[in-house]
Amino acid sequence: MDVKRLFLTIRAVLFSCRKFWTDFRAGSPGIGANVLKEYSVPVIAMVQLVKFPVIGVPRHAMITAIASFLADMAAIYLLAGGTMRLFDRERNSDVEESVTALTGFSLTPLWLAEPLFFIDGWNWLFAALAIVYATLLWRCGFLLLLERKTPSFGSVLRNSSILLVAVSAAVFLLEKGMLRLFKGFPV
């Protein structure tokens, strides 16, 4: 996915999510099949580069960016795996792809708000707003992508939304802790 398409996809996910999820379900061209490789990793990497001027000290920024990247990727896999676990025991590749796409696109507000997590005093507000917005994207995508694929839809949506909030809050706290830890390292 080229840079222009990446930014157009970010805009579509954030500002017209219902149309985006409908287009994604219909198999709209331009949205790649491998969401993690074509969308999630470039967005996370871009956000890590934006953190460099926010943190200031190059060595601390680099260490924090690498650790944050790994934490974000772990959150994706934890959330996708946990959501798949909530579905029936059968492994349906269609459901797996939908859950991976749902996870990859729904976490976009959290990734874009990450540089704001380092602003003292307001970071809790930015984190809360990003988590709420990610939950709304998650719910919208879940309704459009997975509603017909599971008999116990309501309980899976509720439990996966709770998992999303818990994982997102844990990532926020982990990143705040990492920044404090890495600031203590000598330069």
Side-chain angles (χ1 to χ4, degrees):
M1 182 179 294
D2 62 344
V3 176
K4 182 180 179 182
R5 173 60 70 187
L6 181 68
F7 282 109
L8 289 174
T9 305
I10 291 171
R11 189 181 74 181
V13 167
L14 293 177
F15 301 116
S16 58
C17 67
R18 181 166 289 284
K19 182 181 179 323
F20 173 79
W21 289 121
T22 305
D23 290 347
F24 184 79
R25 182 179 61 188
S28 174
I31 300 172
N34 190 348
V35 174
L36 296 180
K37 179 181 156 191
E38 294 178 13
Y39 179 78
S40 299
V41 170
V43 171
I44 295 171
M46 177 185 62
V47 168
Q48 303 314 319
L49 291 175
V50 170
K51 287 182 189 178
F52 275 60
V54 173
I55 295 173
V57 180
R59 182 172 291 177
H60 293 153
M62 185 178 301
I63 293 170
T64 303
I66 292 170
S68 293
F69 181 85
L70 293 174
D72 288 337
M73 291 307 295
I76 290 174
Y77 285 109
L78 180 65
L79 190 57
T83 303
M84 281 304 299
R85 184 78 171 148
L86 294 172
F87 281 101
D88 291 334
R89 298 285 181 215
E90 63 190 47
R91 285 287 186 182
N92 186 353
S93 65
D94 188 34
V95 172
E96 246 179 86
E97 289 174 9
S98 296
V99 168
T100 303
L102 180 67
T103 305
F105 291 120
S106 295
L107 292 176
T108 302
L110 290 166
W111 300 328
L112 296 179
E114 272 184 20
L116 303 174
F117 291 173
F118 298 108
I119 299 173
D120 288 331
W122 290 93
N123 53 5
W124 292 96
L125 176 66
F126 293 130
L129 291 174
I131 290 171
V132 167
Y133 198 51
T135 306
L136 292 175
L137 290 174
W138 178 267
R139 185 179 186 285
C140 182
F142 207 96
L143 291 172
L144 290 172
L145 291 178
L146 299 167
E147 184 174 22
R148 297 184 198 104
K149 297 179 182 175
T150 180
S152 60
F153 174 74
S155 64
V156 173
L157 175 61
R158 181 189 67 238
N159 293 340
S160 65
S161 297
I162 292 170
L163 181 64
L164 171 74
V165 170
V167 168
S168 300
V171 167
F172 168 70
L173 293 173
L174 180 66
E175 288 188 8
K176 287 295 293 177
M178 285 187 302
L179 181 66
R180 287 186 182 202
L181 174 70
F182 298 143
K183 275 187 178 180
F185 287 168
V187 178

